[in-house]
Amino acid sequence: MRKAAFLLLGTLLAGCQFAPDHERPALPTPAQYPDYQPEPVEGVVPADLAWRAFFDDPRLRELIEAALANNRDLRIATARIEEARGQFRIQDAERYPTLGLGAEATRGRYATGASGASSGAGPGAGAGAGSAAGAGAGSAIAERYFVGLTVSAFELDFWGRVRNLSEAALAQYLATEQARRAFHLSLIGDVAATYLAIREADQRIELALETLRTRRETLELAGLRLKAGVTSALEFHQAAALLTQAETELANLRLIRAEQLNYLTVLVGGELPETLPPPVPLGEQLSPTRLSAGLPSDLLYLRPDIIGAEQRLRAARANIGVARAAFFPQISLTGSFGYASTELSGLIGSTNETWSIGPSITLPLFDWGRNEGNLTVAEARETVAIAEYEQAIQTAFREVADALAGRRYLAEQLLAQRKNVATLQHIADLANARYAEGVVNYLEVLDAERNLFDARQTLIQTLRAQVQNLVELYIALGGGLPVDRNDYGDR
């Protein structure tokens, strides 16, 4: 009978798993990225390339270091990991009985012949009435002492409720950790993008200042020509309009730079370091390292947002097991073992040994749909978690595909833009020469100079976009966060 009971208990414990098995949904994206390259690109897997090795600008590296050390949002994300870890430890401890050491001493007056005086109560029950002194007719004073181990109410997890609660807490903890990793990557990308925007503004401001100096000289020359009667007032005001254009653009660029610098201060978490290495020009920011995109399925192991979404799906499925187990009886066990006596001396001894054990069972009968409602909620949350997981994969796929497209077409755009600037520079030189010879009026020079200035500004913008695109590809592929696939596979 004993063997049969143990066999039945083992069968119940092994067979009652109400949580759905965890299976990854089918990949909701194409198996390959769009073919934006005329030939295959061989390169380094971003996850194997640390961000310090990826960024060549020493000033940018120091700014990222400062942001990772001081950014307040990253501190919050890290603290939430500790919170989730603590919640998991609390929940996981429910799977094991809680042992405690207890001691008790009581002294009281009891009616003679009452059960309390003869048999005692609590842990010291069965120890006798104890020493009594005459305290009036029909009553006695009794003393009782107890010391021993106690087990608080411990649930026998036949239906996997406590185990699934622990699984859900573990998955939430891992999801929180991945959220911090995702923010870590996002912070690196934000610092790099803001820094590149400042570098772009610096070079455009330098271009605007150079243009401003040239156009002031041109305006002074036009003023002399106007006084000499060589040119008209119209041409003088056209030269003044060119100067105003450069002054307006310069003010706008300084505003953009100030705003980006303020945002960088927030990202870094305080004032920028006083001693920073000299910056690297935009044209030298492009890393010679080629990045390999791999396959979309690789993102399941490389992107922390996808890994976190999968952990939340695990938690949702574990909670379904919790909701299903609520339909079955909940069995708890309490007990104690120790020594009880009416005398403190000689308390510890075989004659004073006492123990107790007591199971309790709770079976839901009428809950007016409460358990069914909880199960419906848990199943709905699983559906939401599946959709969020698939959405995270689709978002990652789009970000990588966009960056791959940018890698090709921004290079083509930059090449065309360089040719355009060279052509417009030639046109401006010819227009100025023809104007000096009196062949054309100043309107032709005005148009040529305005077009050249706009093209040179656009060239700097395109160059910054190309560098930022490379950073976006690195971040989109999970760069800078090495991942062991075994850590996030099926447990």
Side-chain angles (χ1 to χ4, degrees):
M1 290 294 293
R2 184 179 300 175
K3 292 181 179 179
F6 279 116
L7 179 61
L8 177 61
L9 178 60
T11 302
L12 288 172
L13 291 174
C16 296
Q17 173 58 24
F18 294 136
D21 293 334
H22 177 70
E23 293 182 1
R24 291 191 181 100
L27 199 67
T29 60
Q32 301 281 345
Y33 294 114
D35 186 14
Y36 293 117
Q37 297 297 330
E39 57 185 20
V41 177
E42 299 293 335
V44 178
V45 176
D48 297 333
L49 183 63
W51 65 264
R52 294 176 183 82
F54 175 75
F55 294 105
D56 293 333
D57 191 330
R59 175 180 286 233
L60 176 56
R61 286 199 295 265
E62 287 202 17
L63 290 173
I64 293 175
E65 288 276 10
L68 294 178
N70 302 317
N71 184 268
R72 300 304 188 274
D73 289 331
L74 187 58
R75 289 185 185 179
I76 293 173
T78 302
R80 294 200 185 280
I81 290 179
E82 296 302 317
E83 178 186 6
R85 181 186 289 118
Q87 291 292 341
F88 164 64
R89 288 176 177 173
I90 293 171
Q91 187 58 61
D92 192 54
E94 295 294 327
R95 300 173 59 186
Y96 309 99
T98 300
L99 297 178
L101 178 62
E104 180 181 336
T106 61
R107 176 182 173 86
R109 174 177 293 174
Y110 303 94
T112 305
S115 59
S118 60
S119 59
S131 60
S139 64
I141 295 177
E143 297 176 352
R144 287 186 296 276
Y145 304 93
F146 169 80
V147 63
L149 296 175
T150 61
V151 178
S152 59
F154 167 61
E155 181 176 347
L156 300 178
D157 196 23
F158 290 117
W159 325 114
R161 190 187 76 89
V162 179
R163 181 174 66 255
N164 283 315
L165 282 172
S166 178
E167 282 290 320
L170 174 60
Q172 289 291 355
Y173 158 61
L174 294 176
T176 305
E177 183 180 17
Q178 293 305 316
R180 191 222 28 111
R181 289 166 60 88
F183 184 79
H184 179 102
L185 272 183
S186 176
L187 181 59
I188 292 175
D190 287 346
V191 172
T194 306
Y195 174 75
L196 292 174
I198 294 174
R199 297 300 306 126
E200 175 196 335
D202 286 338
Q203 292 191 214
R204 292 179 64 188
I205 288 173
E206 183 180 349
L207 172 60
L209 288 172
E210 177 187 346
T211 304
L212 196 62
R213 287 192 297 269
T214 302
R215 291 183 181 179
R216 279 174 178 165
E217 294 173 357
T218 302
L219 183 61
E220 291 176 0
L221 180 60
L224 295 176
R225 291 167 64 90
L226 178 63
K227 289 180 180 179
V230 179
T231 186
S232 66
L234 175 62
E235 293 180 350
F236 173 80
H237 290 297
Q238 287 173 337
L242 272 181
L243 177 62
T244 303
Q245 178 201 22
E247 290 174 339
T248 303
E249 184 65 16
L250 178 60
N252 180 57
L253 291 172
R254 283 173 171 167
L255 173 61
I256 292 174
R257 188 185 188 281
E259 292 174 344
Q260 293 296 329
L261 190 60
N262 292 335
Y263 184 48
L264 183 62
T265 302
V266 173
L267 292 175
V268 171
E271 295 184 5
L272 302 182
E274 296 182 357
T275 57
L276 287 172
V280 174
L282 276 177
E284 301 175 16
Q285 291 280 348
L286 284 174
S287 173
T289 304
R290 299 289 285 176
L291 301 178
S292 174
L295 298 174
S297 58
D298 294 334
L299 296 176
L300 303 183
Y301 307 97
L302 299 177
R303 291 273 300 228
D305 55 340
I306 296 178
I307 299 172
E310 183 179 0
Q311 294 299 336
R312 288 190 292 273
L313 176 56
R314 287 180 183 271
R317 286 173 170 166
N319 284 326
I320 290 178
V322 175
R324 288 174 177 172
F327 289 90
F328 294 84
Q330 182 175 338
I331 303 173
S332 299
L333 188 67
T334 59
S336 66
F337 174 82
Y339 300 92
S341 174
T342 59
E343 299 290 341
L344 184 57
S345 59
L347 174 62
I348 308 299
S350 58
T351 58
N352 295 329
E353 185 177 295
T354 180
W355 60 269
S356 67
I357 184 170
S360 65
I361 183 169
T362 303
L363 177 63
L365 293 178
F366 302 104
D367 63 359
W368 314 108
R370 183 192 303 269
N371 287 336
E372 290 183 0
N374 287 333
L375 180 58
T376 301
V377 170
E379 291 174 342
R381 287 175 178 172
E382 182 200 18
T383 302
V384 171
I386 291 174
E388 290 177 342
Y389 176 68
E390 293 175 339
Q391 186 179 48
I393 295 174
Q394 291 174 338
T395 299
F397 179 89
R398 178 186 58 81
E399 290 176 354
V400 175
D402 288 349
L404 290 175
R407 180 163 66 179
R408 175 178 180 179
Y409 297 121
L410 281 172
E412 295 178 1
Q413 182 180 346
L414 185 63
L415 180 62
Q417 195 67 33
R418 291 185 190 277
K419 293 179 180 179
N420 185 47
V421 169
T423 300
L424 291 175
Q425 181 67 61
H426 185 61
I427 292 174
D429 293 341
L430 287 177
N432 279 285
R434 287 160 60 84
Y435 174 72
E437 295 173 358
V439 178
V440 297
N441 59 29
Y442 197 72
L443 182 60
E444 184 172 325
V445 176
L446 179 69
D447 289 339
E449 290 288 349
R450 183 185 295 113
N451 292 336
L452 176 60
F453 179 76
D454 291 341
R456 292 178 70 184
Q457 292 281 357
T458 304
L459 176 61
I460 297 174
Q461 290 177 304
T462 306
L463 181 58
R464 191 268 308 163
Q466 186 185 35
V467 179
Q468 184 169 333
N469 175 78
L470 181 61
V471 175
E472 290 172 352
L473 178 60
Y474 177 74
I475 298 298
L477 291 171
L481 289 176
V483 175
D484 184 355
R485 297 183 181 218
N486 295 325
D487 290 344
Y488 302 101
D490 294 331
R491 295 194 303 274

